[in-house]
Amino acid sequence: MTSLPETGFLAQASDRLKAMLSSQATEIDLDRGAVLFEQGDDGDALYAITQGSLEFSILSQNGRKLSLDLMGPGAIFGEIALFDPGPRTATVTAIDPAKVLRVRSSDVLAQIQKHPELAGDLIRLAGQRMRWMGQQHNEQVFLSVPTRLARKLLHLASVDAACPETINLSQTELAEYVGATREAVSKTISGWKRMGVLEATRGALIIRDLDALRDLAEPEQI
């Protein structure tokens, strides 16, 4: 079994949760581009990322893709199905080779009955998820495209601790994350290039001035 990373949610998880993942989980290897599950699939397991990065996305009714988040080692997801069984609300895709641990919901619930303190971890995780969703909604409604893009770049940089200054996403993919057109994202990036904030290469961005990017991420007011 792959050792558990001391990053993300796992860095603050209880020893009991870590023990459950180590003893109850099945390890899944994902190649780049592999889909772990799709929006609408039955939600029947809790997952933890041990290696690589996973993209979370949804499709609108007209078929437009919106990338919601990118998660890296230490992240745990799938907890909503424990409290409200139903279809998955997003599609999860590996953007590079990844490893995840999977614990079936029935096994998680059985462990909670034996060790009620486990519920504290999962309730805290669900609370963080709801707070994040509320923040994303507020930003989408109240913030400009440049501010949303700066915030998203800072978040994506935090996912890859090994190379935080490089964002390996195309401008089209970034537009999907920000919920904007590619043209709007491209125009913003061109301005930031002239300011020396970042460089753009084929399929990637390189952050050159992190402090300036943080300033750009500050909203005038929410």
Side-chain angles (χ1 to χ4, degrees), residues 72 105 113-114:
S105 295
Q113 289 183 336
K114 294 179 181 179

Side-chain angles (χ1 to χ4, degrees), residues 27-86:
E27 187 173 75
I28 300 173
D29 290 305
L30 297 170
D31 294 328
R32 177 184 174 89
V35 175
L36 179 62
F37 56 74
E38 293 188 342
Q39 182 179 353
D41 287 351
D42 290 338
D44 62 353
L46 182 74
Y47 296 89
I49 304 173
T50 57
Q51 293 181 32
S53 301
L54 302 183
E55 176 198 57
F56 293 72
S57 64
I58 60 173
L59 284 179
S60 66
Q61 290 185 343
N62 62 10
R64 179 187 175 191
K65 176 185 173 182
L66 177 62
S67 297
L68 301 175
D69 201 5
L70 189 70
M71 295 186 188
I76 296 180
F77 59 95
E79 75 286 347
I80 299 300
L82 297 173
F83 303 103
D84 183 22

Side-chain angles (χ1 to χ4, degrees), residues 32 53 55 67 69-70 95-96 148-178 185 189 192 197-210 213:
R32 177 184 174 89
S53 301
E55 176 198 57
S67 297
D69 201 5
L70 189 70
I95 67 166
D96 47 31
R148 298 204 311 268
L149 179 58
R151 287 187 166 208
K152 187 60 68 175
L153 289 175
L154 290 171
H155 170 67
L156 294 173
S158 71
V159 172
D160 187 357
C163 192
E165 70 278 1
T166 301
I167 309 298
N168 291 305
L169 294 174
S170 68
Q171 294 184 23
T172 298
E173 291 169 323
L174 283 172
E176 292 171 353
Y177 274 104
V178 177
V185 168
I189 289 174
W192 292 351
V197 177
L198 48 75
E199 293 181 14
T201 62
R202 186 175 180 83
L205 293 177
I206 302 173
I207 300 172
R208 293 304 187 193
D209 191 336
L210 193 58
L213 189 61

Side-chain angles (χ1 to χ4, degrees), residues 11 24 105 117-118 139 151 190 194 202 207:
Q24 301 283 322
S105 295
E117 64 271 22
L118 269 174
E139 291 184 1
R151 287 187 166 208
S190 294
R194 291 191 294 270
R202 186 175 180 83
I207 300 172

